[in-house]
Amino acid sequence: MTEVMTLLKFIEIVAGGIIAGIIGSVTGLGGGSVLVPILTLFYGVPIIFATGASLISTIATSAGSAGTYTKKKIANVKIGVGLEVATTLGAIVGSLTVTVVYKYSLEWVLYLLFGIVILTSIVPTVNRGKYEGTKVVKPDFTSRIFQLQGKYYDQNQKKSVEYIGIRWWLGEIIMFFAGMLSGLLGIGSGALKVLGMDWAMNLPMKVTTTTSNFMIGITAATSSSIYWYNGFIQFYLAAATAIGVLIGAIIGSKILLKISNKDVRWVFFAILSYLGVEMALEGLRKGTFISLSGLDRFYIAIAISGILIVSLYVIFRIGEKNGQRQ
Amino acid sequence: MDKDNEDLTKVISITLRAAVVVSMFFIVSGVVLMMIKGGGDGYTLAQISSYNTTSPTTLRSNLVPLSNMPSGIVNLDGIYFISLGLWVLIFTPVIVLISAVIDFVVSKNYLYVLLSAIVLTNLTVAIFYIGPYLHLAS
């Protein structure tokens, strides 16, 4: 009888992983950012095991999808490796910080931080793909020293795009924090990586997203070995989520190809913002700053995320449509 | 230069995909073995599927010695199959990095040989030193 129950529970987690993988891949935020809220809020998994499982699935999806990306020769391995100097250091600092967090039972900090990270990631992710070309900038001294130039073939524009990166040092600083968040929360922190390369280093969006995907695996591998020896990885959970999230990510990338109407993605953004608010509220409740019943938390999260996503939609999507008309 | 970059990305993409397939094979067969045998490594299914962080019988990663991996695999122990699958995943990016280092050495790009060596050091320190040290300290 226990065999059947364990198997059913396993399938249930795989299903949760598939959902996380789909949402993560359609929104471009990655499976981990969705998996941890789903596991902690709906499956009652302690955040310590949820983040451990998430790190493992992050490596699986990064490796699975980096294959397709590097094949199209868009990812810049050189820039990626250079920035990994900072992300791996950050990952070590982050995963060591986590051991202290659990030692002093400060789990609420992780919930709150997780909520904030999801909510702040939505804005740059919504904005993604808005500007296809990059601004033409003067190369600085780091462009030459760190050989930040490259080119790729853009299938939509049907031409080869050449680019030059700048401000390598600023990219490194942002990457350190991206790595630290990855170690703390068990996510790929793709949004912050994209910010570092797109905003700070002026790299084209296509190069940024694909290179970030390739980097995420190396960052997560650094953290997960520390997680392993600390006992933060629960096999049963990690096995189920790795399988689920990988399947979900594959389905998600297929869905993404079929979505011609951009508005569909907003449904997923709405789910994401709901999960973000829920995580933040759960953090405040665990830290005994507020007292809320599960149902109250649900209503408040629905209300806040509803307002948030509608205002974001109005700001970005309507503005975009007006821009197209002019 | 661009030719090198193309070959490198090709090798990396094949390595990554192969590693994911191998790791998924071990994880899935580990789960099947675990279910058939009703447990693994002396733990019952109830202990394996428990989320209780305070119970000492909950099976978590620090309780499975990696040195037992070879005998665990030979004995068709599901837990060690899953462990091996997870470690293949953790090591995948290391393989990618090493292939990048080799490429930088071949193209005599010494700055990037140095940078990738630093990344590799960070990873190695995390995997072989910090982790085991924490394990001993706890």
Side-chain angles (χ1 to χ4, degrees):
Chain A
M1 203 52 215
T2 32
E3 279 87 350
V4 180
M5 290 303 291
T6 329
L7 186 64
L8 284 179
K9 199 171 152 192
F10 191 85
I11 295 171
E12 212 173 75
I13 306 168
V14 172
I18 293 179
I19 296 170
I22 293 177
I23 302 176
S25 128
V26 171
T27 54
L29 213 58
S33 309
V34 191
L35 183 67
V36 176
I38 288 183
L39 288 179
T40 52
L41 299 171
F42 305 124
Y43 288 77
V45 174
I47 195 165
I48 178 174
F49 288 152
T51 50
S54 164
L55 265 182
I56 296 290
S57 5
T58 302
I59 307 181
T61 44
S62 157
S65 55
T68 36
Y69 286 133
T70 46
K71 217 161 87 188
K72 288 186 205 142
K73 295 160 196 127
I74 300 178
N76 191 318
V77 175
K78 217 193 277 173
I79 293 179
V81 168
L83 293 175
E84 278 299 333
V85 171
T87 54
T88 47
L89 260 182
I92 292 176
V93 174
S95 35
L96 287 179
T97 313
V98 151
T99 56
V100 179
V101 167
Y102 290 122
K103 203 172 170 189
Y104 295 99
S105 307
L106 296 170
E107 278 90 340
W108 67 270
V109 179
L110 297 183
Y111 279 91
L112 187 61
L113 188 62
F114 209 107
I116 295 170
V117 168
I118 294 183
L119 293 175
T120 48
S121 301
I122 292 179
V123 178
T125 320
V126 163
N127 242 340
R128 186 178 290 184
K130 207 172 163 191
Y131 1 80
E132 277 296 324
T134 46
K135 292 180 291 294
V136 180
V137 287
K138 243 174 91 183
D140 62 6
F141 72 101
T142 57
S143 324
R144 192 169 30 85
I145 298 175
F146 294 102
Q147 306 140 38
L148 304 178
Q149 76 281 14
K151 63 174 180 196
Y152 67 95
Y153 183 74
D154 191 310
Q155 279 178 324
N156 295 337
Q157 297 179 36
K158 302 236 181 295
K159 62 170 187 185
S160 177
V161 178
E162 288 194 36
Y163 58 89
I164 291 176
I166 54 166
R167 290 191 293 224
W168 188 79
W169 54 273
L170 188 58
E172 290 284 328
I173 294 172
I174 295 175
M175 289 304 155
F176 175 81
F177 290 104
M180 202 172 145
L181 275 185
S182 165
L184 272 173
L185 306 176
I187 54 174
S189 54
L192 200 53
K193 284 196 171 86
V194 169
L195 184 76
M197 284 186 273
D198 176 60
W199 173 75
M201 297 178 67
N202 198 51
L203 297 171
M205 194 50 101
K206 282 219 169 72
V207 177
T208 317
T209 41
T210 50
T211 308
S212 138
N213 216 308
F214 151 82
M215 292 167 61
I216 282 168
I218 302 175
T219 318
T222 314
S223 313
S224 43
S225 58
I226 297 177
Y227 271 53
W228 181 285
Y229 291 103
N230 270 319
F232 295 170
I233 290 170
Q234 208 263 22
F235 296 98
Y236 179 76
L237 202 62
T241 52
I243 298 170
V245 174
L246 191 62
I247 296 174
I250 296 169
I251 298 175
S253 59
K254 296 247 155 71
I255 294 178
L256 206 53
L257 288 176
K258 291 216 173 95
I259 297 181
S260 47
N261 186 350
K262 273 191 181 169
D263 287 336
V264 179
R265 281 180 78 210
W266 283 86
V267 177
F268 292 95
F269 284 126
I271 301 173
L272 213 55
S273 66
Y274 163 74
L275 292 176
V277 178
E278 275 263 14
M279 284 303 269
L281 287 176
E282 182 65 9
L284 292 176
R285 194 189 64 80
K286 278 201 183 329
T288 61
F289 296 105
I290 51 169
S291 78
L292 272 181
S293 74
L295 204 61
D296 285 345
R297 196 188 65 190
F298 173 76
Y299 288 129
I300 295 175
I302 289 280
I304 298 178
S305 57
I307 295 169
L308 193 83
I309 211 69
V310 168
S311 34
L312 275 178
Y313 184 83
V314 170
I315 296 168
F316 289 107
R317 193 73 185 112
I318 308 286
E320 209 173 285
K321 279 180 178 164
N322 285 343
Q324 279 166 3
R325 244 174 254 140
Q326 276 161 14
Chain B
M1 193 60 233
D2 278 315
K3 181 77 184 67
D4 291 346
N5 204 26
E6 277 180 24
D7 288 343
L8 177 61
T9 46
K10 208 180 219 171
V11 171
I12 289 177
S13 109
I14 294 168
T15 318
L16 285 172
R17 291 199 151 183
V20 172
V21 171
V22 170
S23 126
M24 283 300 147
F25 166 78
F26 280 111
I27 292 176
V28 172
S29 23
V31 172
V32 172
L33 284 171
M34 190 176 81
M35 295 291 179
I36 292 172
K37 292 187 166 181
D41 199 31
Y43 291 87
T44 63
L45 276 182
Q47 291 168 334
I48 290 171
S49 61
S50 161
Y51 300 145
N52 190 337
T53 50
T54 47
S55 161
T57 57
T58 299
L59 181 65
R60 43 207 285 186
S61 48
N62 57 339
L63 298 177
V64 174
L66 294 179
S67 48
N68 292 357
M69 193 104 82
S71 64
I73 296 289
V74 173
N75 295 329
L76 296 178
D77 189 315
I79 289 300
Y80 287 98
F81 268 72
I82 297 177
S83 300
L84 183 61
L86 296 180
W87 274 101
V88 168
L89 266 187
I90 296 176
F91 268 100
T92 318
V94 185
I95 305 168
V96 175
L97 253 183
I98 292 173
S99 67
V101 176
I102 294 171
D103 185 76
F104 293 140
V105 171
V106 170
S107 58
K108 296 201 171 65
N109 193 339
Y110 295 116
L111 176 68
Y112 273 89
V113 172
L114 177 71
L115 289 177
S116 44
I118 297 174
V119 178
L120 211 50
T121 311
N122 285 347
L123 247 172
T124 324
V125 166
I127 293 179
F128 296 105
Y129 294 97
I130 300 178
Y133 172 76
L134 284 172
H135 190 50
L136 289 176
S138 60

